[in-house]
Amino acid sequence: MILTVTLNTALDITYRVRGLSPHATHRVTDVTERPGGKGLNVARVLAALGHEVTVTGFAGGATGRAVQDQLTRTPGVVDALVPVEGATRRTIAVADASGDTTQLNEPGPLIAPAEWSAFQEAYAVLLRSASVVALCGSLPPGVPVGAYAGLIRTARTFSVPVLLDTSGEPLRRGVAARPDLVKPNADELAELTGSHEPIRATRDARRRGAQSVVASLGPDGLLAHTPEGHWRAVPPRRFRGNPTGAGDSVVAGLLSGLVDRLPWPDRLARATALSAATVLAPVAGEFDRQAYEEMVGQVAVTGEVTAA
């Protein structure tokens, strides 16, 4: 079982408009709602690929109930969210006809100390049957900034590999706890290391504690630095569309490749193709399966294996 942790779950709402202009009234042509937050997006992609996934984190209020109601109708995904008093946040994406998207993200509910303790207990139980865990996204108010570092250490006691996908101070502290893999984007990597040169920055992130680093470079693909070697994966062409969730699909591809025991170049090809196919999907957080299947063999992966 793959476990994904989304401490700041969300109800993702996408509005489609013909064009977006400041200070104007807009007519919405279409509205979609679905469970959101990075780990839930990852879980949905993994389930579509045929993996068994359990999701945990927090859920509360009417939006939390809406998230859980939809999760029960998602094949392959098991809901293990922990209830809280506060209301789960909403994220609003406004997509216009050109493919540009404007994102509005609420901060999330205030998590009480007792709720955080209840989550940690539930997390430890779930780890007993997990093959890998992904810790994803921002922290809601009330959760300690070092939360991910603690969850990484807990996973290590159960010998469960950890992928970390967050930013800012939670990323810095999490990297110091030595996760198996971190997946920052270019800006997050630069903030962590102080370097805007991706190759140097990925190496520095490993020196800070991450065992492997896969940096998401947007339309330029992925850059990986691991104990087994270093590689660059580039999609066959640039794609225009909605990038929301593309980084989460990278995480799903990396996790899928790990549990399928693929070599690193094949993992990176899968993750890159999934990311591009997510940009092409009509709804944020989904992926175009036909595009994915066509692209996965067209991703150019270059690099070298580290000598033993």
Side-chain angles (χ1 to χ4, degrees):
M1 175 266 287
I2 299 173
L3 177 64
T4 71
V5 174
T6 313
L7 296 177
N8 211 3
T9 53
L11 182 65
D12 283 350
I13 303 170
T14 301
Y15 293 132
R16 296 194 175 277
V17 298
R18 291 186 176 85
L20 185 63
S21 302
H23 315 299
T25 299
H26 299 81
R27 291 189 180 276
V28 177
T29 59
D30 183 60
V31 182
T32 58
E33 291 186 358
R34 63 192 56 245
K38 295 179 74 63
L40 297 189
N41 292 338
V42 171
R44 190 162 51 243
V45 174
L46 284 168
L49 292 172
H51 295 283
E52 177 189 352
V53 191
T54 296
V55 298
T56 191
F58 297 112
T63 48
R65 289 192 295 274
V67 165
Q68 293 187 287
D69 286 346
Q70 292 197 39
L71 285 175
T72 61
R73 300 193 295 271
T74 306
V77 176
V78 176
D79 171 18
L81 295 173
V82 175
V84 293
E85 287 294 322
T88 295
R89 67 186 178 131
R90 297 164 296 178
T91 66
I92 311 296
V94 184
D96 65 22
S98 72
D100 289 336
T101 303
T102 299
Q103 191 84 16
L104 304 172
N105 294 340
E106 294 179 355
L110 177 64
I111 305 301
E115 293 169 337
W116 175 235
S117 295
F119 169 81
Q120 291 174 284
E121 293 175 5
Y123 172 72
V125 172
L126 291 168
L127 284 172
R128 295 172 187 167
S129 54
S131 57
V132 62
V133 59
L135 308 176
C136 304
S138 62
L139 301 178
V143 172
V145 70
Y148 284 138
L151 296 181
I152 291 166
R153 287 190 287 267
T154 301
R156 186 175 297 116
T157 66
F158 290 90
S159 300
V160 177
V162 181
L163 185 155
L164 177 63
D165 183 16
T166 188
S167 60
E169 186 65 11
L171 174 61
R172 189 185 69 81
R173 297 198 187 192
V175 165
R178 302 189 62 80
D180 296 86
L181 174 62
V182 295
K183 195 236 43 95
N185 62 31
D187 291 338
E188 293 162 350
L189 185 62
E191 182 181 8
L192 172 67
T193 65
S195 174
H196 291 271
E197 202 291 304
I199 294 176
R200 178 182 300 171
T202 55
R203 290 173 177 164
D204 183 63
R206 286 199 65 211
R207 285 193 292 269
R208 290 169 183 261
Q211 295 184 40
S212 297
V213 180
V214 176
S216 179
L217 306 179
D220 293 325
L222 303 177
L223 179 65
H225 195 78
T226 81
E228 291 82 18
H230 54 88
W231 294 272
R232 180 75 174 266
V234 180
R237 58 189 181 280
R238 288 177 176 256
F239 300 94
R240 187 175 181 83
N242 184 356
T244 304
D248 304 329
S249 290
V250 170
V251 172
L254 295 172
L255 292 171
S256 174
L258 172 64
V259 298
D260 287 345
R261 301 183 183 278
L262 297 181
W264 269 106
D266 292 342
R267 294 187 210 179
L268 297 169
R270 179 178 290 182
T272 302
L274 277 171
S275 178
T278 298
V279 173
L280 294 173
V283 178
E286 301 290 342
F287 71 96
D288 184 320
R289 181 173 291 275
Q290 181 177 346
Y292 162 67
E293 292 175 351
E294 291 174 353
M295 268 189 288
V296 69
Q298 301 173 4
V299 175
V301 182
T302 56
E304 62 183 18
V305 175
T306 302

